[in-house]
DNA sequence: ATCCCTGGTGTAACAGTGTTACAGAAGGCT
DNA sequence: AGCCTTCTGTAACACTGTTACACCAGGGAT
């Protein structure tokens, strides 16, 4: 079954809607209102069509989400590793991965819920393996290193997905740190400022990579 | 009883259900069927009471979940740090935190969704700050270190929450690695075995801690 | 020309969800 | 006796995913 149902020639009648159109409209809805904002009826209305047509084209809601997730996962197939040293190359992979995933903030939660995180990571896992082998790691240690990096990167992304839109905690962490009597005023002040996720990710990932590749 | 609305004495009639009972029943339901399995009607039926009573006691579903989350967050108030070296003490904090959070697998997702991850982490953040200061880090660098550890730990937990019950990917990562022609057979074999999360967490966290505390 | 089959659409319903307007009941207070 | 507060129940609203069923249009076979 190619993209849709008709391979080349004979749709008895021009379909009012295509599988592709359904997927695209669903993507649009999710990007606007989040996964919870995607309802089959809204989707049908958006396309000017009855609900049953949606069901005919994509099965059901779960299958629709599965499809979107699969498409995104396949979009991660070829991530480039740049740089000269293994550390730099591994780091660039991690940064690139985060950059791409942040383009689909609503989907990465679904990916994880479906237990597809390993699958999503598989292509970059290959690249990681190459770099880590080049760095001289072998066998079980190398495998552990690869997985540690995977968990770190995807975990970071999962965390930062929500910490942005914190619901204004009343004693916010920032206020608490400013009130705290501390010996290190600079530290307190630094903890009282919002997180710079880009910088934090780069630093922590680099620290982890260094440690994993270096320590023996 | 006392925990509810009346301050000291006079419930006009013995309430058919208390706020406490609602929260407990909700916790039980969530532990059994997950957050999605918690419906207000099920909850009412479980307690042998009409839905409106639930609403009277807890407001609405969102507020109910908020309350459960808050209770869990407050349960993390006093985590001990064991060990002699700063590295060991920080590591023990991270391990302990993960141990506790894994006792509430369904709630930690909610915590993150509500942007409460920083709040949840605040008590252990204090302990972390102490250890990291003891390790000689100051100011912005220390703050970055604390946050890097936070993100790493909570991220790991978020990831592992789902990777366990992966829905049997058809070309599973394990199979793919066994099929792959590779120069490092041990590595491929290691990647083909399931993840040992305990070990992986301990190793990766230790690597990160070491790197963050040591490198200058 | 009739019939059937296949692809695609629509109507209307079922069961389930969160939430709420409203009517009560039961005890304490004045 | 009335009133007020605390709680509970009935019944509804709007919404969700999903499906049984009728329908319609065109192609192929008879």
């Amino acid at each position: 079954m190619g993209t849709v149902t008709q391979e080349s020639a004979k749709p008895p009648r021009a379909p009012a809607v295509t599988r592709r159109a359904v997927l695209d409209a669903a993507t649009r809805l999710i990007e606007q209102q989040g996964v919870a904002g995607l309802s089959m009826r809204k989707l049908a209305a958006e396309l000017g069509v009855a609900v049953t047509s949606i069901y005919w084209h994509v099965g059901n809601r779960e299958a629709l989400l599965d499809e979107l997730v699969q498409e995104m996962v396949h979009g991660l197939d070829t991530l480039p590793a740049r740089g000269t040293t293994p550390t730099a190359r591994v780091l660039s992979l991690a940064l690139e991965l985060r950059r791409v995933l942040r383009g689909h903030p609503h989907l990465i939660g679904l990916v994880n819920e479906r237990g597809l995180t390993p699958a999503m990571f598989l292509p970059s896992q290959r690249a990681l393996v190459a770099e880590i082998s080049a760095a001289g790691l072998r066998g079980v240690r190398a495998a552990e290193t690869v997985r540690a990096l995977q968990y770190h990167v995807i975990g970071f992304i999962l965390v930062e997905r929500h910490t942005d839109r914190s619901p204004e905690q009343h004693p916010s962490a920032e206020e608490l740190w400013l009130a705290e009597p501390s010996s290190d005023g600079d530290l307190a002040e630094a903890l009282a400022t919002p997180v710079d996720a880009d910088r934090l990710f780069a630093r922590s990932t680099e620290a982890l990579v260094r440690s994993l590749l270096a320590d023996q």
Side-chain angles (χ1 to χ4, degrees), chain A residues 26-216:
Chain A
T27 304
R28 208 167 347 113
L29 260 174
I30 288 179
E31 273 168 10
Q32 286 169 10
Q33 320 189 23
V35 183
L38 170 73
S39 92
M40 305 302 263
R41 284 180 173 82
K42 272 194 221 161
L43 196 48
E46 184 95 0
L47 293 164
V49 123
V51 211
T52 37
S53 292
I54 309 290
Y55 279 87
W56 196 92
H57 282 289
V58 298
N60 56 27
R61 193 184 126 109
E62 205 60 18
L64 168 57
L65 292 179
D66 277 340
E67 186 63 31
L68 295 182
V69 163
Q70 286 293 344
E71 285 190 358
M72 170 188 157
V73 168
H74 279 83
L76 296 177
D77 266 2
T78 52
L79 287 183
R82 295 181 218 281
T84 54
T85 70
T87 302
R89 293 176 64 81
V90 169
L91 191 56
S92 87
L93 263 179
L95 290 171
E96 188 62 16
L97 193 64
R98 171 165 174 270
R99 202 186 57 75
V100 173
L101 290 183
R102 290 192 44 163
H104 309 272
H106 301 296
L107 287 182
I108 62 180
L110 288 182
V111 170
N112 198 43
E113 272 170 31
R114 276 140 219 267
L116 294 179
T117 309
M120 178 178 77
F121 237 110
L122 196 62
S124 41
Q125 200 182 52
R126 263 196 206 89
L128 269 180
V129 164
E131 300 305 332
I132 280 167
S133 292
L137 292 188
R138 295 283 177 270
V140 178
R141 254 191 70 79
E144 226 164 37
T145 301
V146 169
R147 283 177 167 163
L149 280 170
Q150 294 186 198
Y151 273 63
H152 177 80
V153 171
I154 187 73
F156 191 100
I157 295 169
L158 284 176
V159 173
E160 81 171 317
R161 226 172 94 239
H162 288 295
T163 37
D164 304 337
R165 60 162 184 71
S166 169
E168 275 297 327
Q169 277 306 97
H170 278 310
S172 81
E174 284 74 14
E175 300 173 45
L176 285 175
W177 277 112
L178 286 181
E180 196 100 349
S182 162
S183 55
D184 188 343
D186 287 349
L187 195 164
E189 195 185 327
L191 283 176
T193 60
V195 177
D196 179 345
D198 288 343
R199 181 186 167 99
L200 185 59
F201 180 73
R203 297 274 179 138
S204 64
T205 308
E206 188 182 355
L208 184 60
V209 172
R210 264 204 223 291
S211 182
L212 288 171
L213 293 191
D215 105 305
Q216 195 62 285

